Amino acid sequence: MSKDILEKGAIVQRDKETFAIAPHIPGGIATPDILRKIADVSEKYGAAAIKVTSAQRLAIVGLKEDDLDNAWDDLGIKPGAAIGLCVRSVKICPGTTFCKRGQQDAVGLGLKLDEKYHGMELPSKLKMGVSGCMNSCAESAIKDIGIMGTPKGFTVMVGGSAGLKPRLADTIAEELDEDEVLSLVDTIISFYKSHAKKQRIGKIIEEIGLDTFKKEVGL
């Protein structure tokens, strides 16, 4: 029976024989060239489908194991961190770059976070969401680190998750500018990296208490 192949960013499919790969598309912002490459590779290697994922990627589904290396070579794009204990994704809404409702620059901030943290190894998986307004299209409240734009700046939330036991994130800071958000996220990640247990941030907060967590990250 086949298993996920972490080093190739390949996720085994239901048939236990074929794999899906997800080229990294920061923020889901793609160029026509990227789309053509994904379409060409999918066609060349007989993929079953191209699936739009919740992490703003295009997964090429149904590849044979023997074709994985050649598919990545043809794509010329780094794998998205879709598996493993690491920063999995930074979900980004259109923000003030594209959306008429945007109140803060979610794209600019989100791409900086993606560049610095995407794929970083951590005690457990970690997801981020950056929303440009309170509609929270990046689902910031159910991310390990969620950031939401308001007319007065960014709100930072920590400890959210979906899954079997969903948890809404706790708000730990409000009315921050971009530099303050970047600094706070860096402190949170540094604290989390020093935590030896295989736990999501929300579980840590539940164990030590929100006030203690805030003190640990300088709030």
Side-chain angles (χ1 to χ4, degrees):
M1 182 182 293
S2 296
K3 297 181 180 180
D4 295 341
I5 306 174
L6 182 61
E7 66 273 16
K8 296 184 180 183
I11 304 170
V12 69
Q13 298 300 283
R14 190 176 180 87
D15 60 12
K16 307 300 181 184
E17 295 179 356
T18 63
F19 295 82
I21 61 173
H24 185 45
I25 305 174
I29 302 171
T31 63
D33 182 56
I34 289 173
L35 298 179
R36 288 190 189 97
K37 284 183 178 180
I38 291 173
D40 289 346
V41 167
S42 300
E43 188 173 57
K44 180 176 180 179
Y45 296 105
I50 300 173
K51 173 71 174 70
V52 179
T53 76
S54 60
Q56 299 178 324
R57 300 181 180 123
L58 292 171
I60 303 174
V61 180
L63 298 179
K64 297 176 182 177
E65 184 174 352
D66 291 344
D67 290 331
L68 293 174
D69 289 337
N70 289 332
W72 280 120
D73 287 342
D74 289 352
L75 284 166
I77 306 171
K78 293 180 179 179
I83 51 178
L85 305 182
C86 62
V87 178
R88 292 282 190 87
S89 65
V90 181
K91 191 169 186 176
I92 306 169
C93 88
T96 53
T97 305
F98 303 110
C99 182
K100 65 182 180 181
R101 294 181 175 85
Q103 295 171 331
Q104 299 294 334
D105 183 10
V107 172
L109 174 58
L111 291 179
K112 289 178 182 178
L113 292 169
D114 183 279
E115 182 177 4
K116 184 170 184 179
Y117 298 111
H118 176 255
M120 177 183 285
E121 293 185 5
L122 292 172
S124 187
K125 66 180 178 182
L126 183 144
K127 299 180 180 182
M128 298 190 204
V130 186
S131 301
C133 81
M134 290 177 284
N135 283 342
S136 202
C137 292
E139 301 170 332
S140 304
I142 55 169
K143 297 293 188 284
D144 297 277
I145 300 176
I147 300 156
M148 182 180 70
T150 76
K152 296 183 178 181
F154 289 103
T155 294
V156 176
M157 298 169 277
V158 182
S161 62
L164 183 62
K165 295 182 179 179
R167 186 183 192 280
L168 289 177
D170 296 294
T171 297
I172 61 170
E174 298 178 281
E175 299 183 15
L176 303 186
D177 63 25
E178 182 178 284
D179 289 339
E180 290 171 327
V181 172
L182 292 170
S183 178
L184 179 55
V185 170
D186 194 56
T187 303
I188 293 168
I189 294 289
S190 295
F191 166 76
Y192 189 49
K193 286 175 71 175
S194 69
H195 196 79
K197 292 183 180 180
K198 182 182 175 181
Q199 294 176 313
R200 302 284 289 269
I201 292 181
K203 184 65 175 178
I204 296 173
I205 291 174
E206 289 175 358
E207 287 188 353
I208 67 176
L210 182 59
D211 289 341
T212 298
F213 176 82
K214 290 173 71 173
K215 288 179 182 178
E216 292 284 350
V217 297
L219 296 173

